[in-house]
Amino acid sequence: MFIEAIRHDRILVAFALIGVAAVSWLYLLAGAGMDMQPMQHGAMTMHPQIPDWNISYMLVMFAMWWVMMIAMMLPSAAPMILVFAAANTKAATSRSAAVPTSIFAAGYLLVWGGFSMLATLLQWGLSSARLLDPMMQTNSNLLAAGLLISAGAYQFSPLKSACLRHCRGPVQFISQYWQSGRIGALKMGFLHGTFCLGCCWFLMALLFYGGVMNLLWIGGLALYVLVEKLAPRGDILGKITGAGLLIWGLSLLWPLISNAI
């Protein structure tokens, strides 16, 4: 009976995750609430003027960032959420773990909501400094090099390794940080989201390099995060990617240094 309950809850949660991720991607494909033109080479085209950063526009940007984070990060969090659902089914006195699992997922997404607010403020600052073009892609080679080098270096940091280890070990995370009840589910989801943010925040900052509304770039980063977290040697892939990002960034930085000498 427990096995049947676990299977039922995992199927229910899996369909819910697929539905939320699909709706999020459709929202991005539809233009994320902005005045967008059809895609060209994987990127949406916008009107070429600098946007007026009022409250309404900031809310649209915040919604865009948060939905984009849901679309990009929820698939890679699915194994953790499914393991939590199975563990909660075993531990719960009720027949279904759907409610605590939903709360766990909400805690996870709240973390990315906080990141989305910070990203929106950073976008505002960069846009005001004329460091972003209308596609929300940096037009500064120095900033581009800084983003790539920083992201590459972070791939080798102990913090990145520790956070990735938690993200890659759902069973270990559940056993180490288990808390019962709905408040416990919220805390666990928030903690897992924090580890996930610590693992991926520099990679998400690369959206300012490739274009915040470049759907090919968004999809590529999402696929990379998924592989890094779920592939058998994803940690090794992270180091290889870090080396590649460092070389890429230095290749952009070197002409600037040469011209300055």
Side-chain angles (χ1 to χ4, degrees):
M1 184 174 181
F2 271 130
I3 295 177
E4 292 180 0
I6 291 173
R7 185 182 296 114
H8 175 269
D9 283 339
R10 287 169 68 91
I11 292 173
L12 180 64
V13 171
F15 273 108
L17 293 174
I18 292 171
V20 172
V23 170
S24 300
W25 279 107
L26 287 174
Y27 180 77
L28 295 178
L29 288 168
M34 292 180 289
D35 185 14
M36 311 292 286
Q37 302 298 325
M39 289 189 297
Q40 295 181 1
H41 307 294
M44 296 291 190
T45 56
M46 301 175 65
H47 293 297
Q49 70 269 17
I50 301 298
D52 180 17
W53 276 86
N54 51 33
I55 295 297
S56 297
Y57 186 76
M58 183 174 289
L59 289 175
V60 170
M61 289 295 100
F62 170 68
M64 178 204 70
W65 273 101
W66 200 0
V67 173
M68 181 163 58
M69 291 302 102
I70 293 172
M72 295 177 71
M73 303 308 301
L74 196 57
S76 66
M80 180 71 75
I81 297 173
L82 291 171
V83 170
F84 177 84
N88 214 281
T89 300
K90 292 181 179 180
T93 57
S94 61
R95 296 176 58 187
S96 175
V99 172
T101 303
S102 299
I103 295 173
F104 178 92
Y108 175 83
L109 295 178
L110 277 175
V111 174
W112 286 106
F115 171 82
S116 299
M117 177 55 70
L118 293 176
T120 301
L121 294 175
L122 178 59
Q123 182 184 336
W124 181 16
L126 293 174
S127 181
S128 299
R130 301 297 192 268
L131 293 176
L132 295 180
D133 63 18
M135 282 306 303
M136 294 172 272
Q137 177 182 3
T138 181
N139 51 27
S140 165
N141 284 337
L142 183 60
L143 177 57
L147 288 171
L148 291 166
I149 292 171
S150 299
Y154 188 70
Q155 292 292 102
F156 295 93
S157 70
L159 180 59
K160 164 74 180 191
S161 297
C163 291
L164 181 59
R165 186 167 57 252
H166 282 93
C167 291
R168 287 174 54 82
V171 175
Q172 291 84 351
F173 175 86
I174 294 297
S175 61
Q176 184 175 355
Y177 297 106
W178 175 261
Q179 297 184 52
S180 59
R182 296 183 179 184
I183 298 299
L186 183 65
K187 290 180 179 179
M188 289 180 66
F190 194 88
L191 180 60
H192 176 55
T194 302
F195 283 132
C196 190
L197 176 62
C199 177
C200 301
W201 71 285
F202 254 121
L203 292 173
M204 296 302 103
L206 291 179
L207 288 165
F208 288 117
Y209 173 73
V212 175
M213 283 308 296
N214 185 330
L215 293 176
L216 291 179
W217 187 255
I218 295 170
L221 283 176
L223 180 60
Y224 170 77
V225 168
L226 185 68
V227 173
E228 186 182 58
K229 288 185 178 182
L230 303 185
R233 301 302 299 179
D235 53 338
I236 301 300
L237 174 64
K239 300 297 190 296
I240 297 173
T241 301
L245 290 171
L246 285 171
I247 294 171
W248 192 353
L250 290 172
S251 70
L252 295 180
L253 186 61
W254 178 248
L256 300 178
I257 297 175
S258 300
N259 293 333
I261 296 176

